[in-house]
Amino acid sequence: MSGAMRVKIGEDWQEDREALLAALRDFAPLLEGAPFRNRYGLRGVSAFALFWFLRQVRPDMVFEVGVWRGFSTWLIEQAVPKARIHCLDPMVMLQGFMSRWKLGRTYRSGRATYSGDDFSCAPIAELIGPHTRPLAFFDDHQNKLPRLLQCRAAGICDIVFDDNMADAGTHRSLEDDLRDPDRRHLLEREIEIYEVFPALWPVDARIGTLHLVEPGLDFPIEPALRRVYDERQWHSSVTYVRLRAEPLEPSG
Ligand SMILES: C[S@@+](CC[C@H](N)C(=O)[O-])C[C@H]1O[C@@H](n2cnc3c(N)ncnc32)[C@H](O)[C@@H]1O
């Protein structure tokens, strides 16, 4: 196995414009049935990004790492209703000590399993069992390179990362690691496909010390897309990573 890491970012997505718009028109009406409007976690274009990647990959098992109030669990069920879902979040252990008033409404699925284990020590390979296309979704604000290597060890090749922008502040993203020559070399050996979901409409947002600016793909502002459009500034560089079947050998 050889070949350069295939990167799709920004304007590269123009080639998918028609398919993205068709999928967005399927996605937007689903939000009417959401259990609540998310305030912290996936929203707007970022929620659509996870939906898009799941529909592309069609996993038969999803590990959701970072669950919070459960909006992304609901979203995973909309995108891949037949997939088995394993939800991991330390709050599973701690929720009983949290103020229900502060937490607000939650969505917990009878079809998903819940664990407070960290992904690094949960029995991931055993849980995968006979499933052939497992995918891991990380929205846990932990460093992303260790998560990628934990997926490699568990035999998961399809990964979606939320918050993969550089200088995110809460964690080290793959965008941060790609700026470091040694880490870039490691990532290029591991990754076959690397796709950073684009802004669909212009973004000019400040999150803490970050200033995110992206021109977008000039999508139409149709009434049916309004709910996604209204949250267009919620752009968190949701990124799909497909690991190589085998990592490349280190080069001198
Ligand atoms: C941004 S929230 C997740 C939002 C959720 N995915 C959504 O879209 O609604 C981040 C969550 O990561 C969880 N978290 C923190 N450390 C974690 C870890 N090591 N493993 C899994 N989840 C973790 C937090 O408890 C919190 O619930």
Side-chain angles (χ1 to χ4, degrees):
M1 169 82 54
S2 65
M5 178 169 90
R6 291 185 350 239
V7 176
K8 195 192 280 188
I9 193 159
E11 279 295 302
D12 301 339
W13 285 87
Q14 286 291 6
E15 66 187 29
D16 296 287
R17 199 171 190 289
E18 289 311 310
L20 284 168
L21 189 52
L24 185 60
R25 288 177 179 141
D26 287 344
F27 169 75
L30 294 175
L31 292 174
E32 300 303 324
F36 50 81
R37 209 161 182 153
N38 217 9
R39 289 193 308 269
Y40 171 63
L42 289 180
R43 292 167 65 177
V45 174
S46 292
F48 173 56
L50 177 62
F51 179 87
W52 166 266
F53 286 131
L54 288 170
R55 284 278 168 104
Q56 296 298 303
V57 175
R58 300 213 164 267
D60 58 357
M61 176 174 279
V62 178
F63 292 91
E64 183 196 10
V65 185
V67 178
W68 188 232
R69 294 166 61 214
F71 181 84
S72 43
T73 315
W74 174 83
L75 187 56
I76 293 163
E77 288 183 333
Q78 306 311 303
V80 282
K82 292 190 179 151
R84 192 92 180 81
I85 305 177
H86 293 289
C87 303
L88 293 99
D89 193 313
M91 72 173 290
V92 170
M93 289 182 295
L94 301 173
Q95 192 167 338
F97 300 98
M98 295 171 71
S99 153
R100 289 179 73 179
W101 178 76
K102 278 191 186 157
L103 183 61
R105 291 184 64 183
T106 56
Y107 176 77
R108 302 292 180 240
S109 171
R111 291 165 42 218
T113 68
Y114 290 87
S115 166
D117 288 350
D118 187 73
F119 185 79
S120 60
C121 24
I124 303 298
E126 283 168 40
L127 289 170
I128 293 172
H131 291 82
T132 53
R133 193 102 203 226
L135 177 148
F137 166 58
F138 293 98
D139 187 8
D140 57 352
H141 293 261
Q142 305 300 309
N143 292 350
K144 300 202 180 298
L145 177 54
R147 291 313 200 192
L148 183 150
L149 296 174
Q150 288 156 18
C151 285
R152 165 69 76 199
I156 297 175
C157 285
D158 293 295
I159 315 170
V160 178
F161 292 104
D162 190 25
D163 303 303
N164 189 38
M165 64 286 263
D167 304 315
T170 55
H171 56 276
R172 202 175 161 88
S173 69
L174 299 180
E175 286 294 303
D176 293 320
D177 287 327
L178 287 167
R179 297 192 296 201
D180 173 283
D182 290 339
R183 290 200 170 111
R184 170 177 274 275
H185 187 57
L186 171 60
L187 287 171
E188 285 175 341
R189 281 166 41 214
E190 291 286 350
I191 298 176
E192 181 183 348
I193 299 173
Y194 182 85
E195 299 184 348
V196 183
F197 202 80
L200 303 181
W201 297 279
V203 167
D204 185 348
R206 289 186 187 275
I207 307 171
T209 55
L210 272 183
H211 186 193
L212 304 174
V213 180
E214 213 178 300
L217 298 184
D218 195 25
F219 265 43
I221 309 168
E222 299 171 0
L225 306 180
R226 192 84 212 184
R227 196 159 154 179
V228 187
Y229 173 79
D230 285 347
E231 296 187 335
R232 66 194 176 282
Q233 302 295 349
W234 204 264
H235 179 53
S236 49
S237 298
V238 176
T239 298
Y240 169 63
V241 168
R242 169 85 194 163
L243 296 184
R244 298 177 192 277
E246 300 285 339
L248 297 179
E249 291 299 319
S251 60

